[in-house]
Amino acid sequence: MVGNWLKTSILMAGIVVLFGTIGAALGGASGMLIALLLAGAMNVYAYWFSDKAVLKMYNAREVDASTAPEFYNMVRELAQNADLPMPKVYIINEDQPNAFATGRNPENAAVAATTGIMRILTQRELRGVMAHELAHVKHRDTLISTISATIAGAISSIAQFGMLFSHDRDRGVHPAVALLIMIVAPIAAMLIQMAISRAREFEADRAGAEISKDPTALAAALQKIHNYAHKIPMETAEQHPETAQMMIINPLSTDGIKGLFSTHPQTEERIKRLMAMAA
């Protein structure tokens, strides 16, 4: 647990340092402030309203104890185990097995599962998956991802407008250097942001296994989801790849170099760690 939190802290510090360095080189104090304000405004809106937007995007249907008693009661029991308020519960009519959590804090959280995941997993395995999602809620991972996205967005903004700022001769930035920074900086920011996401997935696996008290069930679920997810396309995720980081398994292809840009750790490593917990 300490290792994952330390890694997240180091990565968060790294993206802040990158922001400061790029901003100072291209935009100076004024450029940094403008970019941060723009990115911050966009992400404040996303923080408050993205949960509703994502649920609507996936045509998620809210359920309760009368419409989906077994699933709803499972989530309620796990929320009690995690000492969390009861989240809203949704089902998404998608064949690909997957699940996600959203909401700006534990008091305004929602968890969603596809009909595909409910079809292929046993109740024990599904319980492990929903415990993982509640771990994201408990750790306020939405807040962490919003902060990292804000700074990454600010870096991209500075890079996009960097040539305008770089004409200030007092900073003496060579046009070739400015161009290189404009290309490399957003990629570096994105890589750090995705590394933060991968660290949070490991931590959610660990905490989810503790909430469900069954690490082997989550390990089995991850293997099943991995086997099916890359064979069954999820059209909404393909159209909105920015939502992929929310899912328990990346719904998009991660073959070859794309794996470097994956928001999720390797499934094999996640299973290995869970089995070590069980041992």
Side-chain angles (χ1 to χ4, degrees):
M1 177 178 178
V2 175
N4 285 327
W5 274 103
L6 180 61
K7 183 178 180 181
T8 300
S9 300
I10 292 171
L11 288 167
M12 290 291 287
I15 201 170
V16 171
V17 169
L18 180 64
F19 169 71
T21 304
I22 301 306
L26 291 180
S30 59
M32 278 198 301
L33 182 60
I34 292 170
L36 186 60
L37 288 175
L38 286 173
M42 289 186 293
N43 283 282
V44 164
Y45 176 84
Y47 181 62
W48 282 89
F49 301 107
S50 62
D51 55 339
K52 296 179 180 65
V54 170
L55 290 166
K56 184 177 180 180
M57 189 184 299
Y58 280 90
N59 293 314
R61 171 174 58 90
E62 186 174 1
V63 297
D64 55 27
S66 61
T67 54
E70 196 170 10
F71 183 50
Y72 186 87
N73 290 332
M74 173 194 294
V75 173
R76 180 163 55 191
E77 179 218 332
L78 291 169
Q80 290 172 349
N81 289 353
D83 195 25
L84 285 170
M86 180 63 187
K88 292 183 177 179
V89 182
Y90 290 82
I91 292 177
I92 299 168
N93 187 24
E94 282 278 359
D95 288 333
Q96 186 188 101
N98 235 314
F100 65 82
T102 187
R104 62 185 182 273
N105 55 40
E107 291 71 35
N108 295 275
V111 292
T114 66
T115 50
I117 201 172
M118 298 175 73
R119 193 161 50 243
I120 71 161
L121 297 188
T122 65
Q123 285 298 301
R124 180 171 157 248
E125 291 164 347
L126 183 60
R127 192 170 177 274
V129 167
M130 300 319 295
H132 168 102
E133 299 307 331
L134 288 171
H136 278 307
V137 173
K138 192 175 183 70
H139 296 157
R140 297 174 183 263
D141 285 340
T142 304
L143 175 60
I144 293 172
S145 64
T146 299
I147 293 171
S148 65
T150 298
I151 302 173
I155 290 171
S156 296
S157 297
I158 290 178
Q160 289 169 10
F161 296 104
M163 194 59 78
L164 296 176
F165 294 120
S166 65
H167 288 314
D168 185 344
R169 297 189 180 187
D170 292 338
R171 279 189 290 278
V173 181
H174 192 281
V177 175
L179 181 61
L180 181 63
I181 292 173
M182 289 162 59
I183 295 171
V184 173
I187 296 174
M190 182 171 61
L191 290 174
I192 294 174
Q193 187 185 358
M194 290 179 174
I196 291 170
S197 178
R198 290 194 290 269
R200 304 317 307 143
E201 285 301 316
F202 278 131
E203 183 59 22
D205 284 345
R206 183 204 62 77
E210 290 185 349
I211 292 169
S212 67
K213 300 178 177 64
D214 195 353
T216 57
L218 178 54
L222 289 174
Q223 187 63 67
K224 274 189 183 179
I225 301 167
H226 177 85
N227 292 342
Y228 279 91
H230 297 150
K231 298 175 184 177
I232 304 172
M234 184 183 283
E235 186 176 343
T236 305
E238 296 292 342
Q239 293 174 350
H240 302 278
E242 69 277 7
T243 64
Q245 64 173 333
M246 301 174 62
M247 305 289 177
I248 190 168
I249 290 286
N250 191 344
L252 310 175
S253 172
T254 57
D255 295 335
I257 194 170
K258 289 182 181 178
L260 183 64
F261 297 93
S262 174
T263 55
H264 293 67
Q266 290 292 320
T267 305
E268 293 82 0
E269 179 61 24
R270 296 172 70 179
I271 291 171
K272 179 181 176 182
R273 294 189 183 198
L274 287 165
M275 296 310 292
M277 283 185 67

